[in-house]
Structures are given as structure tokens and as C-alpha cells.
Amino acid sequence: MPPTKNLLAAEPTPVDVTWAKTALVIIDMQRDFLEPGGFGETLGNDVSQLASAVKPCGLVLDAFREAGLLVIHTREGHSPDLSDAPPAKIERGAPSLRIGDPGPMGRILIRGEAGHDIVEALYPVKGEIVIDKPGKGAFYATDLGDTLKQRGIETLLVCGVTTEVCVNTTVREANDRGYRCVVLADCCASYFPEFHEMGLRMIKAQGGIFGWVSSSSEVLAALNSEPSKMIA
Ligand code: TIU
């Protein structure tokens, strides 16, 4: 059993976390973003840049599972008929393959295809919530808001890829909805290391304008802390 509450070390300030009201939200750790041949690579990115997030994310995921706490995975993608894919998204840029085109892991960014699935190391287990989202933010056109409300969740620990795109968009959506978001820096990654850094700085600047930034080791330390270290 984890302690009921903890003061989690974070920037710009420590965060008071009540574990029963906290969800781990793992954003888009999908083969389409992390593995060669998927959506991320079609956009011209070096997908190996995202690998560093997998292990720390797995450690936090294991700790949440062990403690019986709420875990939510998200996946960015579209229905096979592309009815939820805006033309403005499909037609964007000059990728090597477009959303819906056949690729080495099936159709690019399409639900049900191999590339759309979550990487093996972080694969959801029974009972974990998987939110399929057509956009960058996890609240837009999904039931994430209702899911969190039903469970009385107040704080989100946010991991995933990419820091400045789907993680930042989701944190901004969540912040406006009243959630306290703590982004775990080493559990996130970007194709552009400088965007990762700036994405985190944007969240924690101005007294935590969008939320807080912490790390996997701080979460593990807090979850494993002795009851004597708990705050009343
Ligand atoms: N391209 C990029 O950096 N990210 C995305 O398109 N989606 C997510 O971040 N999941």
C-alpha cells in the first residue's frame, strides 16, 4: 500500500499528491511514434530520440500497478474510413507516407493497425483505461474528462510523447479543466531535444503556469516513502 498522501518533489514547487485522486496518464507511447516505419518517421523524424522515455515510464507504470492506482493510456489515431481525420491534418506537409497510407506496420496512424498499438514494454494490462484520440490533446473528442470526473481524479502525472506536441496539448487542456498536472521529465521525449527542454520549461514557468515538472525517481521515492514521512 502506498502512503495516502505525499509531498512530491517538483518544480517550481513541491506538489501535494493524494494518491487515490491521482492518475498516471501515458500519452501515445505507440509504435507509430517510437518505431521505424510509423507516423513519426514519415514526418522525417529520428524516432530513436524517443527511446529514453520507455524505461522510466515503465518503472512508474509498474509502481502504479503495484499500488493499485489508476492508469490511463492514450493513443493518437483515426478510424479506418478517416471520418475523424480532418483533411487539414491529412494534407499537412510533405511526409513520405500520409495518414491512412499502407506502411510497414500497417496503415499509418489508423486504429487497429500494428503501428497504432502501444509499444510492448508499456502494453496496457486488463483494467487499464485506453483512450483513443483523434487529436493531439487527450480531452478533445474523447471521454477522458468524464472518466476522470467519475473517479474523483484531481491530479495527473503525465508521461509520454512528444513533450511539446501531445504531452503539452493534453496538459494545457487538463490545466484549463482544473487538473493539477505533473509532467515527469524523463518519462517524456521529443524528436527535438531542445523542444523537450522548452516544452518542460513552458509548463513550469511563471509559478507553474500549466503545471509542475518532476521525474520518475521522485515519484518512486514518494510512493515508497515511509508512513512517517507522510503529511497529515
Ligand atoms: N509529431 C509529433 O511530435 N507528435 C505527434 O504528432 N503526436 C504526438 O505527440 N503524440
Side-chain angles (χ1 to χ4, degrees):
M1 282 291 287
T4 310
K5 289 176 82 169
N6 278 113
L7 202 56
L8 176 63
E11 291 181 323
T13 63
V15 197
D16 200 354
V17 173
T18 299
W19 294 108
K21 296 180 178 177
T22 300
L24 175 65
V25 181
I26 303 178
I27 305 285
D28 302 356
M29 292 296 277
Q30 296 162 254
R31 300 182 68 194
D32 252 321
F33 296 105
L34 286 120
E35 295 185 12
F39 179 62
E41 194 176 74
T42 69
L43 297 176
N45 296 308
D46 170 10
V47 295
S48 70
Q49 291 288 339
L50 305 189
S52 64
V54 175
K55 196 171 171 200
C57 211
L59 294 174
V60 177
L61 177 59
D62 286 345
F64 260 64
R65 285 173 175 166
E66 206 165 303
L69 299 173
L70 185 65
V71 174
I72 299 175
H73 305 259
T74 73
R75 299 185 297 200
E76 180 180 346
H78 298 283
S79 66
D81 66 3
L82 297 176
S83 56
D84 58 359
K89 182 176 182 182
I90 298 175
E91 293 161 4
R92 191 81 47 91
S96 58
L97 293 171
R98 293 196 186 272
I99 295 167
D101 284 351
M105 293 191 287
R107 293 177 69 200
I108 300 292
L109 214 61
I110 298 296
R111 292 188 196 125
E113 302 287 347
H116 178 263
D117 222 340
I118 291 171
V119 295
E120 203 180 329
L122 304 173
Y123 209 77
V125 297
K126 199 163 174 267
E128 290 174 355
I129 295 166
V130 179
I131 301 278
D132 280 319
K133 63 188 187 62
K136 304 305 182 193
F139 287 83
Y140 169 67
T142 73
D143 61 4
L144 178 59
D146 290 340
T147 298
L148 297 174
K149 222 176 266 167
Q150 277 162 14
R151 289 165 175 78
I153 297 298
E154 296 174 352
T155 301
L156 309 181
L157 300 191
V158 186
C159 300
V161 297
T162 61
T163 314
E164 80 281 13
V165 182
C166 291
V167 171
N168 248 269
T169 306
T170 298
V171 166
R172 289 166 191 232
E173 287 183 324
N175 182 57
D176 278 350
R177 286 164 173 77
Y179 295 98
R180 297 186 307 164
C181 297
V182 186
V183 178
L184 306 184
D186 56 330
C187 302
C188 297
S190 169
Y191 300 118
F192 307 91
E194 67 272 30
F195 291 174
H196 173 75
E197 281 311 314
M198 281 299 169
L200 298 174
R201 283 177 63 183
M202 285 181 198
I203 286 163
K204 68 185 177 185
Q206 304 182 62
I209 196 78
F210 296 122
W212 289 260
V213 176
S214 187
S215 67
S216 61
S217 57
E218 295 296 355
V219 172
L220 298 182
L223 276 171
N224 291 323
S225 66
E226 296 300 320
S228 60
K229 289 186 196 155
M230 286 166 50
I231 31 177

